Amino acid sequence: MNGAGSPCRFCGRRRDPRVPGRNGPICVDCVRAGLRVVRDGADRESGAGDVLAAVTSPLAAVCEFCGRRERRTFLGLRRPLLRVDCAARDAVICVDCLDHAGDVLNVALRG
């Protein structure tokens, strides 16, 4: 699914611009809220009032945008990948995909 006409996976609103994902897109407001969650670990609300929270368990759900739950270092070591979830909508995104989505949205908003 490329996200065309689909609501945001994290808030359910149909707002542009959005970044497409496998199960649906993520909107600019949810990217901002997710980056704040990753930065300080405090829960935030999505545009619809659902809670976005940091994932603390390394075995919790994988990122639905890239399919990862861990990052491999140069030496082959595995580290948990920080993720944000919206339990009410069963949506998860990792910090790497949030960063990438932020970059894409910045380019789109510049015009």
Side-chain angles (χ1 to χ4, degrees), residues 55 64-65 76 79 81-82 100:
V55 175
E64 65 184 52
F65 286 76
R79 292 187 349 207
L81 189 57
L82 294 173
H100 177 69

Side-chain angles (χ1 to χ4, degrees), residues 1-28 30-31 63-66 89-94 97-98 101:
M1 177 181 296
N2 67 3
S6 299
C8 173
R9 286 281 295 140
F10 293 83
C11 69
R13 299 183 301 170
R14 296 178 191 274
R15 297 192 48 176
D16 287 327
R18 297 174 297 182
V19 176
R22 292 179 189 169
N23 298 329
I26 184 168
C27 71
V28 65
C30 290
V31 169
C63 173
E64 65 184 52
F65 286 76
C66 68
R89 298 186 184 274
D90 196 29
V92 179
I93 189 168
C94 71
C97 290
L98 278 170

Side-chain angles (χ1 to χ4, degrees), residues 4 25 33 43 55 71:
D43 294 353
V55 175
R71 180 183 291 146

Side-chain angles (χ1 to χ4, degrees), residues 22-98:
R22 292 179 189 169
N23 298 329
I26 184 168
C27 71
V28 65
D29 293 339
C30 290
V31 169
R32 288 178 183 150
L35 289 170
R36 288 185 197 114
V37 169
V38 169
R39 183 176 58 231
D40 63 17
D43 294 353
R44 298 284 193 288
E45 283 190 8
S46 70
D50 297 324
V51 176
L52 300 178
V55 175
T56 56
S57 170
L59 300 177
V62 299
C63 173
E64 65 184 52
F65 286 76
C66 68
R68 297 180 305 154
R69 74 167 48 109
E70 64 187 13
R71 180 183 291 146
R72 291 190 181 207
T73 66
F74 178 73
L75 299 174
L77 302 173
R78 297 176 184 197
R79 292 187 349 207
L81 189 57
L82 294 173
R83 287 158 287 160
V84 174
D85 84 333
C86 177
R89 298 186 184 274
D90 196 29
V92 179
I93 189 168
C94 71
V95 67
D96 290 348
C97 290
L98 278 170

